[in-house]
Amino acid sequence: MSDKTGIRIPSRLPLLLTHEGVLLPGCTMRISVDTYRNMQLVKSRLLRGTSLKSTIIGVIPNTRDPEHDTDELPALHRVGTAGIAVQVVGSNWPKPHYTLLITGLCRFRTLQLLKERPFAVGEVEQLDQLEQHASQALLEGELGELGEQFYKHAVQLVDMLDMSVPVVAKLRRLLDSLPKETLPDMLASMIRTSNSEKLQILDAVGLEERFKKLIPLLTRQIEGLKLLQKTRKPRQDEDKTVVAIRPIRKIGHFPGGQFSLDTAEEAEEEDEDSDDIALLEKKIRSASMPEPALKVCVKEIKRLKKMPQSMPEYALTRNYLELMVELPWNKSTTDCLDIHAARVLLDSDHYAMEKLKKRVLEYLAVRQLKNNLKGPILCFVGPPGVGKTSVGRSIAKTLGREFHRIALGGVCDQSDIRGHRRTYVGSMPGRIINGLKVVGVANPVFLLDEVDKLGKSLQGDPAAALLEVLDPEQNHGFTDHYLNVAFDLSQVLFIATANTTATIPPALLDRMEVLQVPGYTQEEKIEIAHRHLIPKQLEQHGLTPQQIHIPQEATSDIISRYTREAGVRALERKFGAICRAVAVKVAEGNKVTKTDPPPGPEAAGRREKVLESLNSPADLSLPPEMPIVMDRHALKDILGPPIFEMQVSERLSQPGVAIGLAWTPMGGEIMFVEASRMEGEGQLTLTGQLGDVMKESAHLAISWLRSNAKTYHLTNASGSFDLLDNTDIHLHFPAGAVTKDGPSAGVTIVTCLASLFSGRLVRSDLAMTGEITLRGLVLPVGGIKDKALAAHRAGLKRIIIPKRNEKDLEEIPATVRADLDFVMAGCLDEVLNAAFDGGFPATSRHDLLNSKL
């Protein structure tokens, strides 16, 4: 490969066809290979070759390789570049291809195409000398003048750059050390030139022609830099501007590194990026962060300045700093402390809910007296559909604060609350910090929805993570794993909602101020329907009060016969169904009034009526029969037959049936208890999916009745006072698919069994609740208000409750208390006397002591 004239390339070269760019001698370029012939060249020549000679290939520019092997080769460009393949990288995505890193050696001319398959091979003639330059060659005559002129332009271009950048200083030294005949190709690859201009440089075999073609390109680049320097604002600490410098890999013995000088547009992008970092640093200084957070941010911004943008950690660090800047460290809204205006706003948004309104007004009053009051941690507990979430939104509106809702239902990862550590891929802050970023203030109202439905998994317990958030003594220094610095949450007003407190961990429940939100009475539902629900549904369905009228009697029928719930969600859906049915009638009426009447003698009168209606000032959308009034018949046509019927009197038509009251997360409900007896071996059978507590209450009831059978003249079928002698008893609680548990069914079971053995009917308008003991005492139970509302909804008139629950009657609305007769019972003797018409006499009664428990 060598002789006296220097290093020679092989006379037969495999040819790589490309149309993506132009490879010049002394320069390095990446070429993507995905066509058949080029792929075969890589597999057969480069990957299987074992000598240096096998890595030398010919690159033919401006020539597209056909996609298929059967296609003929196009005409080849007359001049190519011999290059050495330095690196081969293969990939199968999105399709099989190779990426070659090739360094140009010298020019060649293709004399003859020797073969086309499996890849092109040609006989070539070397056009450039390829040798190690020991000293600077001297150029004479016109060529020497062109060389000097070219050298001056090159030096002028480099001197316009910032010499403090190492790569620019190295480029300046290369201009002095490299032979002038190698400089045109190197500079042509650095300045911004088109492929056609690079082809002209490649085709310029003579050095003189090469100088002549490149000098105008250098002049154009210099003028562009001058114009850029004039238009840009001069910096105080810089006299010169670096447009863009990208070092490209140095290959083998070829002197110098390869660089790229881009145009003014790319220069602006580069400077904008550095300006963004400076702007970010300025924002950090002005964010009013606490001292620990500021120290962390200053440390991270210093690391960011030294970090190349290509590193994955660059984006992570920048995202972290942008989050720190966006957090409201010292931004807050001013509370609206007008108590009268707050009371008016709460009353207009919500009907009833006096406890919640009172608590909000108390907070406003204390805030007037003390400015630095910590935000309370409230927990609204009540059945679904009673307005817990909407009350939280109204509280934010009343205080003039930002509102943010965080749904916690089903959350089973503590990282959702505390965030992920930044060492993880895809890490992000928790929902608390992210919510603060969204609202942009440090004192919003946070609604933690469905806090009773938090899960637990291998990723931790989110309820435990909430302990720090919801503790007024700790949340002033809440530390998110992503931030890793303390953030003050003491000014945030947290409101949690739950359907029950049974599933909330005791430690978390202890940190919250629990406010019970009971279900609505029928009168309250009617008011809510006509104040809020009906206008809302009319607006959503495009209707007006002139098109539909729902009287209070119809609303009462919908509440009692089509919905039986503590909240108003099902009621709102029924109104939506009514509005949709009316919308169909309105649309059909519009079609009838707006279509042309059929021809005929009777059509003239109708046409006149239509014209009169069109000319009248009335609303065109009103059909003649409007407004549609909802009565019981219209409700049956739209909503179908009633879902709930008053079956209390029918169910109590035989002995052995009583009505109890139960509490559920959905509100209070009435519960029937049925008993029957048959000949047997004295067994007690319980059905209806009962829990352990309710089973024990049934055993307590039968034991008390057996011990007092003689007192109340209770006998079995054979007349024996031993109620289980040759007798089996079956107790059943209907709705067998629903799990039931709790102690409050004790008095109901006793009354049901007393009715069974005495043969007397329990009063049909009576319900009861209370826990019992073996001594016959009636102990207090919870949920009295919800149970009373359930009895009122069912149309019952009398309720037996434990005497020690008398204090709970104050929570029941006055209208419900007026309709119900409450009987306070301290022992089972009082319960039985109140449950049966005419009382339940006993032969002898023992004075029972009241329990002091």
Side-chain angles (χ1 to χ4, degrees):
M1 287 179 58
S2 74
D3 53 22
K4 295 180 180 179
T5 59
I7 303 174
R8 306 290 298 176
I9 63 173
S11 59
R12 292 164 57 97
L13 283 180
L15 303 180
L16 182 74
L17 311 183
T18 179
H19 63 281
E20 296 177 351
V22 180
L23 177 65
L24 295 173
C27 305
T28 302
M29 185 175 75
R30 292 189 183 274
I31 300 176
S32 180
V33 172
D34 58 1
T35 56
Y36 177 79
R37 285 185 175 85
N38 288 344
M39 293 278 284
Q40 289 299 319
L41 185 151
V42 175
K43 294 176 182 178
S44 303
R45 179 83 176 192
L46 299 181
L47 298 182
R48 295 182 182 177
T50 58
S51 64
L52 179 63
K53 181 178 178 181
S54 63
T55 62
I56 299 177
I57 60 176
V59 180
I60 303 295
N62 199 28
T63 306
R64 184 183 295 272
D65 184 27
E67 292 288 337
H68 304 288
D69 180 34
T70 56
D71 298 339
E72 294 295 329
L73 281 178
L76 305 182
H77 192 75
R78 56 191 181 92
V79 178
T81 304
I84 182 171
V86 178
Q87 186 184 62
V88 180
V89 179
S91 175
N92 287 324
W93 190 89
K95 65 177 183 178
H97 69 279
Y98 292 99
T99 301
L100 309 182
L101 184 64
I102 302 177
T103 298
L105 300 176
C106 64
R107 292 173 175 79
F108 69 83
R109 181 181 290 111
T110 305
L111 301 178
Q112 182 182 358
L113 188 61
L114 299 179
K115 67 174 185 177
E116 298 184 8
R117 294 177 182 85
F119 53 86
V121 177
E123 183 180 354
V124 299
E125 174 189 3
Q126 182 174 341
L127 300 179
D128 295 337
Q129 290 184 356
L130 189 60
E131 59 182 354
Q132 298 284 359
H133 297 280
S135 61
Q136 181 81 19
L138 297 178
L139 303 178
E140 300 177 354
E142 184 180 356
L143 184 59
E145 294 178 1
L146 285 174
E148 288 298 326
Q149 186 179 357
F150 170 80
Y151 177 76
K152 290 180 181 179
H153 282 83
V155 171
Q156 182 182 359
L157 176 63
V158 175
D159 287 343
M160 295 179 69
L161 307 178
D162 186 4
M163 297 301 295
S164 63
V165 179
V167 72
V168 177
K170 186 175 182 180
L171 176 60
R172 181 66 181 84
R173 291 194 300 270
L174 288 177
L175 291 180
D176 295 331
S177 60
L178 290 180
K180 288 188 175 61
E181 56 265 28
T182 63
L183 295 180
D185 291 331
M186 184 182 70
L187 287 178
S189 66
M190 288 192 294
I191 63 176
R192 175 56 64 92
T193 53
S194 63
N195 281 345
S196 60
E197 291 171 337
K198 288 182 179 178
L199 276 176
Q200 295 178 11
I201 301 296
L202 180 66
D203 293 342
V205 178
L207 186 58
E208 180 179 352
E209 183 182 1
R210 214 176 302 164
F211 281 145
K212 289 181 179 180
K213 290 184 178 296
L214 195 59
I215 288 175
L217 300 180
L218 290 177
T219 304
R220 183 183 66 188
Q221 189 75 32
I222 292 171
E223 294 300 325
L225 287 177
K226 289 180 179 179
L227 181 62
L228 179 63
Q229 290 178 344
K230 290 180 180 179
T231 55
R232 293 186 55 191
K233 296 180 180 179
R235 295 189 180 182
Q236 296 179 357
D237 56 342
E238 294 184 5
D239 295 330
K240 300 179 181 179
T241 304
V242 177
V243 181
I245 301 178
R246 292 199 304 260
I248 300 179
R249 184 172 178 172
K250 179 179 178 181
I251 302 301
H253 64 274
F254 297 96
Q258 301 300 325
F259 312 99
S260 175
L261 300 181
D262 292 344
T263 52
E265 293 81 2
E266 295 185 356
E268 288 291 338
E269 294 177 2
E270 182 83 10
D271 289 332
E272 284 176 5
D273 189 70
S274 60
D275 290 344
D276 286 344
I277 296 179
L279 182 61
L280 185 60
E281 184 175 10
K282 183 178 179 182
K283 289 181 179 179
I284 291 173
R285 303 287 183 183
S286 60
S288 301
M289 298 181 188
E291 190 65 26
L294 183 60
K295 287 182 179 179
V296 172
C297 288
V298 170
K299 180 180 178 182
E300 291 294 329
I301 199 73
K302 289 180 179 178
R303 291 181 62 241
L304 188 68
K305 290 179 179 178
K306 301 175 182 178
M307 200 181 301
Q309 295 186 21
S310 57
M311 286 185 62
E313 196 176 353
Y314 181 89
L316 298 177
T317 305
R318 181 159 183 166
N319 290 340
Y320 172 76
L321 292 173
E322 288 177 349
L323 173 66
M324 294 288 282
V325 169
E326 292 175 2
L327 285 179
W329 298 97
N330 202 20
K331 300 177 184 176
S332 59
T333 55
T334 303
D335 287 347
C336 178
L337 302 178
D338 188 346
I339 295 181
H340 176 71
R343 181 182 284 111
V344 171
L345 182 60
L346 289 174
D347 289 340
S348 64
D349 285 350
H350 295 277
Y351 185 77
M353 293 189 173
E354 299 303 328
K355 270 190 178 181
L356 272 61
K357 296 177 183 177
K358 179 182 176 183
R359 182 64 182 87
V360 175
L361 296 178
E362 289 173 353
Y363 174 76
L364 288 177
V366 178
R367 277 285 285 112
Q368 282 187 358
L369 303 177
K370 186 176 182 181
N371 291 330
N372 58 348
L373 179 66
K374 293 182 179 179
I377 314 294
L378 306 178
C379 181
F380 298 159
V381 179
V386 296
K388 300 183 295 295
T389 302
S390 58
V391 165
R393 187 174 280 105
S394 294
I395 290 175
K397 183 179 177 183
T398 302
L399 296 174
R401 293 190 179 188
E402 297 291 334
F403 177 80
H404 186 71
R405 174 179 171 270
I406 300 176
L408 296 179
V411 172
C412 57
D413 188 354
Q414 68 150 352
S415 297
D416 277 3
I417 307 298
R418 286 186 172 274
H420 305 82
R421 299 193 184 277
R422 284 193 290 143
T423 53
Y424 295 110
V425 176
S427 59
M428 61 182 68
R431 296 196 182 191
I432 303 296
I433 294 298
N434 190 63
L436 289 168
K437 171 189 170 185
V438 171
V439 297
V441 292
N443 62 340
V445 174
F446 268 13
L447 184 77
L448 306 178
D449 217 359
E450 309 293 355
V451 74
D452 59 327
K453 297 175 180 60
L454 284 170
K456 190 175 182 180
S457 67
L458 295 176
Q459 283 74 34
D461 186 2
L466 278 175
L467 294 178
E468 182 184 4
V469 177
L470 299 182
D471 192 341
E473 301 300 324
Q474 299 181 29
N475 63 7
H476 63 276
F478 171 70
T479 302
D480 187 275
H481 286 163
Y482 185 82
L483 292 187
N484 207 24
V485 293
F487 193 94
D488 186 7
L489 299 179
S490 61
Q491 298 304 313
V492 179
L493 174 55
F494 286 102
I495 299 176
T497 67
N499 296 131
T500 176
T501 57
T503 56
I504 302 177
L508 181 60
L509 187 64
D510 181 63
R511 284 163 167 78
M512 299 185 292
E513 179 183 346
V514 178
L515 297 177
Q516 295 290 340
V517 186
Y520 297 113
T521 64
Q522 182 159 341
E523 291 75 14
E524 290 173 345
K525 287 185 178 180
I526 293 175
E527 285 294 328
I528 292 171
H530 287 271
R531 289 189 183 190
H532 303 288
L533 303 184
I534 294 177
K536 177 182 176 182
Q537 290 297 321
L538 292 181
E539 181 182 357
Q540 289 183 356
H541 292 84
L543 298 175
T544 63
Q546 289 78 26
Q547 294 168 326
I548 178 175
H549 176 61
I550 304 178
Q552 289 196 356
E553 294 78 9
T555 305
S556 178
D557 280 346
I558 296 173
I559 293 171
S560 60
R561 296 160 63 87
Y562 291 93
T563 64
R564 188 169 289 177
E565 58 171 352
V568 292
R569 282 207 182 109
L571 180 61
E572 186 174 9
R573 285 194 289 268
K574 297 301 180 184
F575 286 133
I578 293 172
C579 290
R580 289 192 297 271
V582 173
V584 173
K585 296 292 184 182
V586 172
E588 290 177 349
N590 287 345
K591 186 175 181 181
V592 170
T593 57
K594 292 182 181 179
T595 53
D596 295 334
E602 299 178 358
R606 279 195 292 251
R607 186 181 296 109
E608 291 178 1
K609 292 181 180 179
V610 172
L611 292 175
E612 289 177 3
S613 64
L614 292 174
N615 295 328
S616 66
D619 191 352
L620 296 178
S621 64
L622 294 180
E625 65 271 13
M626 293 297 166
I628 297 177
V629 179
M630 289 292 116
D631 55 9
R632 182 166 292 188
H633 299 289
L635 293 180
K636 186 175 181 180
D637 292 338
I638 296 173
L639 302 179
I643 301 174
F644 302 101
E645 294 291 346
M646 309 307 294
Q647 300 177 350
V648 175
S649 59
E650 298 176 7
R651 298 287 288 270
L652 300 185
S653 59
Q654 59 181 0
V657 182
I659 302 176
L661 295 173
W663 180 91
T664 69
M666 308 298 178
E669 290 185 1
I670 64 171
M671 177 179 62
F672 289 92
V673 181
E674 301 174 352
S676 64
R677 62 181 177 178
M678 67 286 296
E679 291 185 3
E681 301 176 354
Q683 294 181 354
L684 176 63
T685 304
L686 302 173
T687 56
Q689 280 208 44
L690 307 183
D692 292 337
V693 178
M694 192 170 282
K695 290 178 182 178
E696 292 174 356
S697 295
H699 286 287
L700 275 173
I702 193 66
S703 298
W704 185 84
L705 285 174
R706 290 178 68 186
S707 64
N708 292 275
K710 290 183 180 180
T711 305
Y712 295 101
H713 301 285
L714 302 177
T715 61
N716 59 11
S718 60
S720 173
F721 287 112
D722 187 359
L723 303 181
L724 293 181
D725 184 23
N726 297 323
T727 303
D728 287 347
I729 299 176
H730 188 168
L731 269 175
H732 177 64
F733 293 76
V738 180
T739 304
K740 309 169 189 70
D741 201 5
S744 60
V747 295
T748 311
I749 299 174
V750 169
T751 306
C752 175
L753 292 174
S755 170
L756 175 68
F757 289 112
S758 66
R760 300 178 60 185
L761 296 178
V762 180
R763 291 183 54 161
S764 298
D765 60 347
L766 175 77
M768 61 194 75
T769 183
E771 184 181 356
I772 62 172
T773 68
L774 270 177
R775 293 182 295 161
L777 300 178
V778 179
L779 301 184
V781 292
I784 294 297
K785 179 179 180 180
D786 290 322
K787 293 174 180 178
L789 294 179
H792 187 259
R793 286 196 299 267
L796 301 174
K797 300 299 182 183
R798 198 175 202 189
I799 298 179
I800 300 176
I801 64 173
K803 196 168 188 177
R804 288 164 62 180
N805 282 119
E806 186 175 3
K807 62 184 185 301
D808 298 321
L809 296 182
E810 297 178 0
E811 299 180 358
I812 301 174
T815 55
V816 176
R817 288 204 306 268
D819 292 341
L820 295 176
D821 179 20
F822 291 93
V823 178
M824 308 300 164
C827 61
L828 286 175
D829 185 55
E830 297 174 358
V831 172
L832 294 177
N833 278 299
F836 296 91
D837 287 326
F840 202 77
T843 57
S844 62
R845 297 181 183 174
H846 302 283
D847 292 331
L848 298 176
L849 297 176
N850 289 331
S851 173
K852 300 298 182 181
L853 296 178

